[in-house]
Amino acid sequence: MHSDFNIYGTQLNSRLILGSALYPSPALMQQALQQSGCEAVTLSLRRQAPEQQGGEQFWQLIRELKLQLLPNTAGCHSVQQAVTLAQMSREIFQTNWIKLELIGDDYNLQPEPMLLLQAAEHLLADGFEVLPYCTDDLVLCKRLYELGCKVLMPWAAPIGSGLGVLNPYALRTLRERLPDATLIVDAGLGVPSHACQVMEMGFDGVLLNSAVALAKDPVLMALAFSQAVAAGRSAFLAGAMPKQDFASPSTPVLGMPFWLQEAL
């Protein structure tokens, strides 16, 4: 299991990755990212085109933060769309990292598994370092890992739902069956305790956007998630006590108090 947070050879100290969309203002986005201590940020070329003059303030703030950029292919529904957007993002942002999103259902934004595999294979062959957004399906994750995706980003619940971990068994199984993969839970986490939960399972990191950006106080929520991720990681490394179906007192109860023995 990983002691260091490693994304394709790049070491990060913070295990929290934040998105850059949905914030009330660019300034609040910048403050939240800084408060979180994150070292990587996701961003979408489709939603924020640098050539548009209206987005100049946004890009200036991103550049000032000096974070690792993780472009994504949000909104793509075909292999060709995803590949083209990834290539454009690499040219503009000067990074081989790409968060591969290829949606198969517009209702819950669930990834399309067969096309996701095809797109990942194409991008890996083109020199990209692919971080696929996927479901918690073990077979799909194994196929992506076997293709060469060293980092996988399974969901906890649908994007933006805030429902938390819907299938703890599936996530625990992924962690156990893919011990050498870097696994980052992406999508569906709504509150810091959700992030702490998956980190306690042994996941390597957490990616968030809506839970922070849509909070009443995004800056404070970014700090809360940062602390939760750190606490969950520490708990995992410390090792939890075993569960049992009966009470076990922390203070021994055998024998009687010494003063009661003297009275008798």
Side-chain angles (χ1 to χ4, degrees), residues 101-132:
E101 295 185 38
L102 213 163
I103 302 304
D105 181 81
D106 288 327
Y107 178 75
N108 67 359
L109 301 180
Q110 181 171 331
E112 210 293 343
M114 279 69 76
L115 297 184
L116 188 66
L117 286 167
Q118 294 176 31
E121 185 173 19
H122 189 114
L123 291 171
L124 288 165
D126 194 22
F128 282 92
E129 295 173 331
V130 181
L131 294 80

Side-chain angles (χ1 to χ4, degrees), residues 1-3 5 13-17 165 171 175 183-185 189 192-208 225-239:
M1 211 63 73
H2 302 278
S3 58
F5 189 29
N13 294 314
S14 173
R15 294 173 179 271
L16 175 63
I17 301 174
V165 181
L171 289 183
R175 182 68 286 176
L183 299 179
I184 300 171
V185 173
L189 304 182
S193 59
H194 295 158
C196 189
Q197 179 185 3
V198 297
M199 294 302 295
E200 287 175 349
M201 292 180 184
F203 279 81
D204 297 286
V206 164
L207 192 153
L208 304 162
F225 267 105
S226 176
Q227 294 170 335
V229 168
R233 180 63 181 176
S234 294
F236 169 72
L237 294 176

Side-chain angles (χ1 to χ4, degrees), residues 67-80:
L67 301 175
Q68 294 280 343
L69 302 182
L70 176 56
N72 65 44
T73 60
C76 291
H77 290 77
S78 71
V79 173
Q80 188 57 54

